[in-house]
């Protein structure tokens, strides 16, 4: 939740780089939503360099754990790739 606060600027100054750091830590501990949120930042390059190479691994874990929003990230990544964005 702290990563989301920094990502959105909820009660703290918006800082996507700090959000990504919190998401990385939580994802390493197995938190599925942190993986999803990190994948979203990596896809957009918000606070971190764009890194599509990490998306498949994050989305696969999210899907295996029934994270419904992982399908959204996967679909968004495919659309952006097709457009060359």
């Amino acid at each position: 939740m702290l990563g989301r606060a920094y990502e959105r600027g909820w009660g703290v100054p918006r800082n996507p780089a700090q959000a990504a750091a919190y998401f990385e830590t939580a994802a390493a501990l197995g938190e599925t939503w942190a993986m999803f949120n990190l994948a979203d930042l990596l896809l957009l390059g918000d606070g971190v360099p764009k890194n599509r190479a990490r998306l498949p691994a994050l989305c696969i874990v999210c899907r295996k754990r029934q994270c419904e929003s992982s399908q959204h990230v996967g679909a968004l990544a495919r659309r952006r790739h097709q457009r060359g964005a």
Side-chain angles (χ1 to χ4, degrees), residues 33 47 73:
W33 280 104
V73 170

Side-chain angles (χ1 to χ4, degrees), residues 35-75:
M35 293 176 196
F36 166 74
N37 289 324
L38 178 59
D40 194 35
L41 292 180
L42 291 168
L43 174 66
L44 300 173
D46 190 11
V48 293
K50 285 186 180 182
N51 187 344
R52 291 191 179 128
R54 290 188 62 197
L55 294 178
L58 290 168
C59 289
I60 287 169
V61 172
C62 288
R63 283 186 184 165
K64 284 182 180 177
R65 294 184 181 175
Q66 304 300 316
C67 178
E68 296 164 6
S69 295
S70 67
Q71 295 173 2
H72 169 71
V73 170

Side-chain angles (χ1 to χ4, degrees), residues 8-46:
R8 300 293 182 176
W10 294 337
V12 295
R14 185 175 187 280
N15 186 337
Q18 185 64 52
Y22 282 117
F23 292 149
E24 284 277 7
T25 299
L29 295 171
E31 175 55 46
T32 307
W33 280 104
M35 293 176 196
F36 166 74
N37 289 324
L38 178 59
D40 194 35
L41 292 180
L42 291 168
L43 174 66
L44 300 173
D46 190 11

